[in-house]
């Protein structure tokens, strides 16, 4: 499905739409600037419609199971107070008066091509909303998982606020359609890509010289525990692991212990497994995820029986979850859905162990005695982490937060100087 200037079109119209897109964009770029207040008001109206059940039909028709909970998280980020705070934080107040040489203005880049993420329903709308807030025209390459939800929601949004229609386009393109993606990238002033390394490399090849490449690639997060953890902190970590399923960039992939003693790692696993089982019992997984978790647990048990090639891992199977104590200190992806890796990593080795993941580090869930929190926070930030929080809050958003160490709205704008003629 294609969304073009407020209308839903069949995919068969793609060649015709692409042929006329450059002329359409030139016309849209000559329109009066889109003001943030118009965008905030329209998104608020759409959010209130979601809250009142007005989008239930679209969700039932287009969204996968569990999408309503994911949409609720995106809805929180699109509330007027959140967007207004985001604008103030990321772009700052307008310049007061003329400087001696003239003045500066923030202007949109122009046209943004969003290679939208598919790991949460509503994120394609969110990335487009950030482009709209900065006055850009937005071409959205939809993820395979979208199923038509984003075009349907965009149609509802532009029906309520027609002024947004010239600024929104969406295309259900497979990533393998490099020719169409190249045509879209050729029209863009900036490419916003949310994919993994492969997607980022592909867009680097497709984006023309002079096009700003804005990467929100895959990130990796972990928990770091020092000292005897309190029960509430462990329960918060377990709840986070089960609730996110390891699917988010902010999901805990490895639990690192500030220790070099494998026996301490074994003691931690024995103590933490019942806590993880309790969190797992309290949260029902969708059937597919539950089956995947069970399959991994069985596979890991069989591999452990074969001693995993002599690597010396220790496997702790639980009811619907598991822990695997490994001897190395590298940060890597855990299996999904409540199956987590545990490793000993004394703080003196922290920077060296995290360095191979530079550029991909995101959140560290830190659980430690209060007197050590400042020291360990500073050490984690020096190692390249962009956010430090409690394990229970690793995937919780807050007003004005940066995106992987950067402010998106700043990257979607350009600074223009208007110099006095005298």
């Amino acid at each position: 499905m294609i969304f073009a200037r407020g209308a839903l079109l069949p995919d068969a119209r793609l060649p015709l739409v692409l042929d006329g897109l450059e002329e359409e964009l030139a016309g849209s770029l000559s329109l009066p600037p889109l003001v943030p207040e118009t965008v905030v008001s329209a998104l608020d109206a759409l959010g209130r419609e979601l809250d009142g059940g007005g989008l239930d039909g679209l969700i039932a028709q287009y969204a996968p199971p569990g999408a309503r909970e994911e949409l609720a998280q995106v809805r929180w980020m699109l509330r007027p107070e959140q967007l207004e705070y985001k604008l103030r934080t990321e772009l700052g107040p307008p310049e007061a008066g003329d400087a001696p040489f003239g003045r500066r203005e923030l202007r949109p880049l122009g046209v943004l091509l969003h290679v939208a993420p598919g790991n949460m329903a509503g994120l394609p709308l969110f990335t487009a909303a950030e482009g709209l807030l900065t006055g850009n025209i937005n071409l959205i390459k939809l993820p395979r998982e979208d199923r038509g939800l984003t075009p349907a929601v965009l149609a509802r949004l532009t029906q309520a606020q027609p002024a947004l229609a010239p600024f929104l386009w969406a295309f259900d393109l497979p990533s393998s359609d490099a020719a169409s993606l190249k045509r879209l990238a050729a029209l863009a002033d900036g490419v916003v890509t949310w994919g993994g390394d492969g997607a980022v490399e592909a867009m680097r090849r497709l984006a023309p010289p002079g096009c700003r490449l804005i990467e929100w690639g895959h990130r990796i997060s972990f928990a770091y525990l020092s000292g005897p953890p309190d029960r509430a902190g462990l329960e918060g970590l377990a709840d986070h692991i089960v609730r996110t399923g390891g699917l988010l960039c902010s999901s805990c992939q490895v639990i690192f212990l500030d220790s070099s003693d494998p026996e301490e790692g074994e003691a931690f696993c024995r103590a933490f497994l019942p806590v993880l089982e309790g969190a797992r019992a309290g949260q029902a997984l969708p059937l597919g995820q539950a089956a995947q978790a069970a399959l991994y647990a069985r596979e890991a048990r069989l591999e452990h029986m074969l001693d995993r090639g002599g690597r010396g891992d220790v496997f702790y199977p639980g009811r619907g979850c598991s822990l695997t104590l490994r001897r190395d200190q590298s940060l890597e992806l855990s299996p999904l859905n409540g199956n987590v890796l545990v490793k000993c990593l004394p703080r003196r080795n922290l920077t060296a162990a995290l360095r191979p993941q530079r550029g991909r580090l995101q959140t560290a869930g830190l659980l430690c005695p209060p007197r050590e929190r400042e020291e360990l926070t500073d050490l984690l930030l020096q190692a390249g982490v962009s956010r430090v929080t409690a394990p229970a809050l690793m995937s919780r958003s807050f007003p004005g937060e940066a995106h992987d160490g950067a402010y998106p709205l700043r990257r979607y704008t350009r600074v223009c100087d208007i110099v006095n003629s005298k």
Side-chain angles (χ1 to χ4, degrees):
M1 186 183 298
I2 299 169
F3 178 81
R5 291 185 64 92
L8 294 172
L9 304 173
D11 290 333
R13 297 281 297 276
L14 177 63
L16 185 63
V17 172
L18 291 179
D19 286 343
L21 189 54
E22 184 172 8
E23 184 177 351
E24 291 273 10
L25 295 178
S28 297
L29 288 168
S30 66
L31 293 173
L34 187 62
V35 295
E37 291 79 9
T38 301
V39 179
V40 172
S41 176
L43 291 171
D44 181 43
L46 183 70
R48 285 187 276 108
E49 193 173 4
L50 173 66
D51 296 341
L55 301 182
D56 286 354
L58 295 182
I59 295 172
Q61 182 177 0
Y62 295 110
R68 174 164 285 284
E69 292 75 15
E70 295 174 351
L71 288 169
Q73 296 183 52
V74 176
R75 160 63 171 143
W76 181 86
M77 295 187 289
L78 295 179
R79 291 186 179 277
E81 60 272 21
Q82 306 298 340
L83 295 178
E84 290 163 1
Y85 187 82
K86 183 180 182 72
L87 285 162
R88 291 195 305 271
T89 301
E90 299 192 21
L91 300 182
E95 291 232 356
D98 287 351
F101 67 88
R103 70 182 190 277
R104 293 190 181 95
E105 292 184 4
L106 285 178
R107 291 296 180 103
L109 278 183
V111 178
L112 295 178
L113 170 60
H114 303 260
V115 183
N119 60 329
M120 181 185 293
L123 285 183
L125 174 64
F126 178 74
T127 186
E130 291 184 319
L132 288 172
L133 285 171
T134 44
N136 288 284
I137 298 171
N138 301 274
L139 312 177
I140 309 163
K141 187 271 185 193
L142 297 170
R144 179 183 55 192
E145 298 84 355
D146 191 78
R147 303 185 184 184
L149 178 63
T150 298
V153 170
L154 293 179
R156 190 70 65 91
L157 178 68
T158 53
Q159 286 169 8
Q161 179 49 269
L164 301 184
F167 296 85
L168 289 167
W169 303 71
F171 303 90
D172 186 12
L173 292 173
S175 298
S176 58
D177 189 356
S180 296
L181 284 172
K182 187 171 184 178
R183 293 185 68 179
L184 292 175
L187 300 172
D189 300 284
V191 173
V192 183
T193 178
W194 291 66
D197 292 349
V200 171
E201 289 296 330
M203 292 315 302
R204 281 178 174 169
R205 292 192 296 268
L206 293 177
C211 179
R212 184 181 298 182
L213 187 61
I214 303 157
E215 303 174 16
W216 306 125
H218 287 173
R219 297 296 187 268
I220 189 166
S221 301
F222 60 91
Y224 194 75
L225 279 58
S226 182
D230 62 274
R231 177 77 182 190
L234 290 179
E235 289 176 346
L237 173 59
D239 178 75
H240 160 80
I241 289 170
V242 172
R243 178 167 35 83
T244 67
L247 296 169
L248 306 179
C249 291
S250 56
S251 296
C252 173
Q253 300 296 338
V254 178
I255 302 172
F256 285 120
L257 307 178
D258 184 12
S259 172
S260 57
D261 185 355
E263 291 186 3
E264 288 189 26
E266 294 174 10
F268 170 80
C269 290
R270 289 192 295 268
F272 184 60
L273 185 61
V275 182
L276 188 60
E277 287 181 315
R280 175 67 185 87
Q283 297 189 35
L285 288 175
L287 184 60
Q289 291 185 31
Q292 187 179 19
L295 285 172
Y296 167 76
R298 180 171 177 80
E299 178 186 356
R301 186 190 295 267
L302 292 172
E303 289 183 350
H304 180 62
M305 291 172 62
L306 298 173
D307 195 28
R308 296 183 63 88
R311 194 164 63 180
D313 293 350
V314 184
F315 181 63
Y316 296 84
R319 294 185 297 274
C321 58
S322 71
L323 298 172
T324 302
L325 179 63
R326 290 192 174 170
R327 304 301 182 182
D328 66 276
Q329 298 181 339
S330 63
L331 176 57
E332 59 182 306
L333 294 176
S334 277
L336 302 176
N337 303 316
N339 301 285
V340 188
L341 303 177
V342 179
K343 303 187 181 188
C344 292
L345 177 60
R347 66 183 71 183
R348 65 179 179 273
N349 297 342
L350 189 63
T351 300
L354 297 180
R355 183 66 180 165
Q357 292 288 359
R358 60 189 179 278
R360 297 184 179 89
L361 299 172
Q362 195 206 68
T363 301
L366 177 59
L367 192 58
C368 66
R371 65 181 181 277
E372 296 185 6
R373 189 164 189 86
E374 185 173 350
E375 175 191 345
L376 286 172
T377 295
D378 188 60
L379 184 60
L380 289 163
L381 295 176
Q382 285 183 294
V385 169
S386 59
R387 180 168 62 171
V388 180
T389 185
L393 306 179
M394 289 178 65
S395 295
R396 185 174 299 179
S397 298
F398 60 92
E401 68 178 344
H403 188 165
D404 298 336
Y407 282 147
L409 300 191
R410 289 187 184 178
R411 300 185 73 179
Y412 301 163
T413 57
R414 55 196 172 94
V415 180
C416 299
D417 291 318
I418 298 90
V419 183
N420 291 333
S421 58
K422 295 182 181 180

